[in-house]
Amino acid sequence: MSSACETSLPVRDYNLEATMSSGQVFAWERVAENWVGVVNGRWVTLRQAAEAIVVRTAEPQAEWSWLAEFLQSELDLRAVLATFPKGDPHLHAAVATCHGLRLLRQDPWECLASFILSSTKQIVQIQQIVRTLRERYGERLRAPAGQRAAFAFPTAQRLAALTEAELRDCKMGFRAPYLLATARRIVAGEFVPEALRNLPVPEARARLTALPGVGEKIADCVLLFAYGFPTAFPVDVWVARALSTFYFRNRRVRPERLRRFADRHFGPNAGYAQQYLFHHIRTQRG
DNA sequence: GACCAGGACCATT
DNA sequence: AATGGTCATGGT
């Protein structure tokens, strides 16, 4: 029952590097052996060990369930992979090249806001915009002595109070009015992120796509990365290209049809399959 | 310089 | 229902 700033979460089949680099989070930074970021308003560093993730926080923690939830460290990955279709060489190859790739369970608001900023942006640019937002408008968090200060992702309340010009100055371009309007809907109580947790997927998706700047793709990212709906299947340009190449003889197929194919072909954890394919084609390009 | 990036939205067929 | 143009910004 002791409080400590360090712990070790036992894990199996967990590839922290691949997970943090797979385009689901944009606010984590690699510093030497560690990944530095913020979870639930707490400064955290993570380091991969053989059968554990070694954790350090700035302030003593009485318990660590909040972090196990974010990392999904207690999920049995082999049980997930066992639901993948047998005899799919493309999916099999993707799994084989990124052993231990995981889906995180992010804060819904940060995930929603980040992916509103993601449209037709490269991942490095999304990271840059998010960093600027955090440093200008996020809460400054206490870090251990000798460590750089960290900044939480700004709250919806904080962003809702800004002007469109202030957001555009963070280099987000035409996405600024989308982010601003969505933040203001949350502040007005017209969109309640927590209310989506226990909804059927189609209903949750409909509420997300009703937000400005949120279409089917971004909605599925939030459903998968924040709410953990395992059938959500974001179809971006990379995934569309991969599915078209692997399963449709290079024909151009509409995203809606690709999602229906994925639901049928990949099964109850199609979202996980999507993440493996996405990471695979992005790391094997060239 | 041309082309593209974890798209969404609107006007036009 | 289905295409095409437009919206900023930065990397390759």
Side-chain angles (χ1 to χ4, degrees), chain A residues 49-220:
Chain A
E51 296 191 348
I53 293 177
V54 181
V55 181
R56 196 150 75 94
T57 55
E59 315 211 5
Q61 305 296 321
E63 53 90 25
W64 300 92
S65 62
W66 54 276
L67 187 56
E69 169 74 7
F70 171 74
L71 291 171
Q72 292 287 291
S73 54
E74 295 173 12
L75 178 80
D76 183 353
L77 182 61
R78 289 192 299 180
V80 170
L81 301 182
T83 68
F84 284 178
K86 319 292 182 197
D88 180 338
H90 308 107
L91 182 57
H92 186 269
V95 171
T97 55
C98 357
H99 276 300
L101 175 63
R102 299 284 187 135
L103 290 177
L104 299 166
R105 190 68 60 88
Q106 303 177 43
D107 171 71
W109 157 244
E110 177 172 348
C111 185
L112 172 61
S114 298
F115 277 97
I116 286 176
L117 300 175
S118 75
S119 69
T120 51
K121 277 289 183 192
Q122 297 182 33
I123 289 176
V124 287
Q125 299 177 315
I126 304 165
Q127 292 169 332
Q128 179 57 49
I129 298 170
V130 167
R131 172 161 46 248
T132 303
L133 268 181
R134 285 159 48 220
E135 291 176 350
R136 290 188 183 178
Y137 303 114
E139 182 190 359
R140 189 188 190 94
L141 299 177
R142 180 175 164 269
Q147 299 276 355
R148 255 169 40 198
F151 295 86
F153 191 86
T155 63
Q157 287 70 23
R158 183 73 177 99
L159 294 191
L162 300 176
T163 64
E164 182 181 321
E166 287 172 314
L167 287 178
R168 281 184 182 267
D169 195 53
C170 298
K171 308 303 180 188
M172 65 182 71
F174 62 83
R175 303 155 195 84
Y178 295 151
L179 181 59
L180 187 56
T182 289
R184 288 179 175 172
R185 284 203 194 180
I186 290 175
V187 170
E190 297 164 6
F191 177 79
V192 183
E194 287 308 314
L196 271 60
R197 290 206 184 275
N198 299 316
L199 259 41
V201 171
E203 171 71 20
R205 179 181 285 119
R207 293 204 189 181
L208 284 166
T209 55
L211 294 168
V214 182
E216 303 282 338
K217 188 271 172 183
I218 291 176
D220 272 6

Side-chain angles (χ1 to χ4, degrees), chain A residues 254-277:
Chain A
R254 319 176 55 69
E256 169 60 28
R257 189 176 165 198
L258 291 178
R259 283 200 302 139
R260 281 191 284 110
F261 165 79
D263 197 51
R264 175 166 48 81
H265 179 72
F266 294 121
N269 293 295
Y272 251 96
Q274 175 275 156
Q275 197 65 10
Y276 276 94
L277 291 170

